[in-house]
Amino acid sequence: MSNFFATIADAGRRGPGRTAIEVQRPDGVETTTYAELLAEAARVSGWLAAEGIAPGDRVAILADNDARWIARYLGILHRGAVAVPLDTSYKTGQVRTVVDNSGARLLFTSVRYADTARAALAGSTCRGALLSGEAPDLPGPEAIDRAAAAADVAACAGDTAAVILYTSGTTSDPKGVVLTHANLAAEQHAAFQVVDVTEDDAVLGVLPLFHALAQMANLLLPLSVGARVVFLESVNSTALLEALQARGITIFACVPQFFYLIHTRVAGEVSKKGVVARALFRALVGGNAWLRDRTGANPGKRIFARVHRVLGSRMRILVTGGSRFDPAIGRDLYGLGFTLLNAYGLTETSGGATIVRPGDRFTTSVGQPFPGVEIKVSSPRASSPETAHDAGEHVDGEILIRGPIVMREYYRRPDATAEVFEDGWFRTGDLGRLDEAGRLHITGRLKEVIVLASGKNLYPEEIEAHYRQAPVVKELCVLGISPPGEPAAERLHAVVVPDEAVLRARGVVNVGELVRFELEGLSVQLPPHKRILSYDVSLEPLPRTTTGKVRRHEVERRLAERATTPVADARPLTDEDRAWLADEAHERATAFVAARLGRPAVHPHDNLELDLGLDSMERVELLTALERRAGTRVAPEVRATIFTVRQVVEAVRAAPAGLTAAVPDSDDRLAWDVVLTESPDEALVQHLGKAKIGRAVVLFVLIRTLAVMIRPVVRFRTAGQDRLPATGPCIISPNHQTYLDAFFVAARLPFGLFRRVFLVGAAEYFERPAMAWLARAVNIVPVDPNANLVTAMRAGAAGLRLGKVLILFPEGERSIDGEIKTFRKGAAILASHLDAPIVPVAIDGLFPLWPRGRTLDWRRLRPGATRVALVFGAPVTVARGAYEAGTTTLRAAVDRLFAGLRAAAR
């Protein structure tokens, strides 16, 4: 069989002036024709021969994607040598390991990686050469330009090695995948039988060429038919979207994360619309998916034309692979009209082994095997016979592959080669199942299966896909963590990376609280054994491979290191940190923060919440104390951007003076005096001061009437109304079970209190005009406490000063299981500073009707199915500044009332 280079050369001769490679750079597009590319490859081949590189010798490449990279790669094949592309993220030791293991005689690199190459090759027989640029000790491209072009392409037998690609673990266990010319030809032939690629196509390549999928999809396949390939100098979302729209791209193969970006953008735009518009959008997406499934018609391309234009007007084929694709996102993109071919393969299978066929209806599979490829699933098993059919859990086994695309061997590793082959079948280490149509469904990695104490097997990728539905979650990795002393019993633990863009857009600073709330809401939708039981929030991106797979072992290592790090202040200071602390004002403020928190020191980059453990109230107290010391006032919009010690110090220092004089006292009681003295935005609370007797009467009659109307289906009993204060401001504090709690509380208030009731509600529910009108009508002040706690507290104080009655849920959120959760001290702070008593309230019975994270259970709206009990307790007063004691007293009172309700129900 001839050298695979000949296939590309044939295509080039049919259109020598046609563009082969484009590189989009910030200052323009660099173009290389087929004639130029093949001529340079021939000169590379001639230069290699002159340098003593013989057929079969290994030549490594360490550089970024561009035409010169491809010319060197093709020149190596032209010579009959073996290309060894290296991961550009390799450190010096990893480069040295791979060079030594492969026996490479030459390493092509670029100026960007020249220092790494020099250090790796020190003392080695392998020599270095530059693809581009100049260096005094490395031959550059001018040497190749002067070389005589090799006329003849080396003839190679089919089983002759063409490329060696190294898998992960190169520093300790180097495994070089040997792909032969026959492997490459088989992969090419099989792919062309499934996907139509012609010389009129333009392929956008963003995956690095040291990866098998990229070499096939972005090099060998398109160049062998004379298509155009476009690379980006800088791979980022802006450059990528520009290339898609400006370079006439028709085929794009990429890892799932890019398509997740499109989905996130669409979802973000839709979320800004009204309820009706959002419902219509979901109906159109679902309707288009239904039409595609049943008729093959796809009007979504026209209905959602604006979304499709993001990928360019000529786009016709989208391929994704490399890591598991979230099925929920896949279904949405299918409904939007995108044809996304999900593929599966490994380096050991020349890149691709299965692919969804164009025109197929949507499934969660990665398609059927390539022509000539056989796949089977061995050792089928389930967690246990009685749980084999639990929701989301499949009977599956290890995926085995056989065919001409499977590698020859691991280079110089007969032990590793023997381990992965069984009677001619390659053991992938992946778990999956085949459906009745022969489509392959991937469920996880054999080594990543989490075995619970119950014996159930869980696949982390399925669980991660569920929790990634939370808008605040950007990345999430689920691991099996063994409790101390029980190494065989794993429990689910997650590492969560929040989406900082979402947090900034919503003005949220209490990241941990929001993440916990979102995860709890999603947990109730899973069976108990699939719920994560603990988690860590990390502001660092998860470590990933070049194809987007999470490096779980690296995540586990980071967790272990974090667990053994004694205290946050042991973190070393960088030169930048030292320079910042050299400013006396910065040093004094940082020392004040440490002293206030009872720590010997804090690091400038310590996160106030995640590293120092401050809740939202404590953040306000710290910031206010710093403001008082400096005699400044930080603007509300700036408060929402403060996450670290350095940021809080710099915000206070940069703020304009807002106090008459700096006050060194940091007493929290005085801090809240300062916060609550100021009124919130006048527009927020101006309607509270207006007498609206007529509206109050109408609402009172309406709510009382509704309460009577629901009696046949909701049994509602109340006690303790006589304990409510008849006059003056007060705070009514019930436990929080559902969205309906405030209605049931208001329905049992006497008119004298009802007409004075107001609430501080989450602003996100009252953004539309109709909901904004409703908020004014029922005295709701729309403020997002997650984004602006100070404004929320000031709004509460303003209403109480007007003699109003504030309904405030001390838990700050709905219960996840109907039980009472931790109380926050907001009610105690307001009661303390406004001399307003707190009325403890216990409510029970509503949670089963409308549990958090689920929809209203209409089945419970039948006679006798729902019984609601509510009891008011004796008012609680809070002494000046006794926030903790007041909160404890309030919680104890609600607990007693709640226990009484439960006892009476029995």
Side-chain angles (χ1 to χ4, degrees), residues 42-65:
R43 287 195 298 272
V44 170
S45 178
W47 183 79
L48 290 174
E51 291 294 309
I53 302 298
D57 285 345
R58 277 74 58 204
V59 179
I61 309 175
L62 177 66
D64 296 317
N65 296 1

Side-chain angles (χ1 to χ4, degrees), residues 233-247:
E233 180 177 11
S234 299
V235 180
N236 55 61
S237 58
T238 301
L240 195 154
L241 293 173
E242 178 186 341
L244 286 169
Q245 296 167 16
R247 307 313 310 157

Side-chain angles (χ1 to χ4, degrees), residues 719-734 749 753 756 805-806 827-828 831-832 835-842 871-879 885-894 896-897:
Q721 290 101 317
D722 57 322
R723 296 166 178 164
L724 291 164
T727 60
C730 71
I731 302 170
I732 297 176
S733 288
L749 296 179
L753 265 70
R756 293 186 287 126
V805 176
L806 172 63
S832 169
D835 296 322
I838 307 175
V839 179
V841 181
V871 59
F872 297 94
V876 171
T877 58
V878 181
T887 303
T888 300
T889 301
L890 174 61
R891 172 61 190 263
V894 175
R896 286 194 300 271
L897 297 172

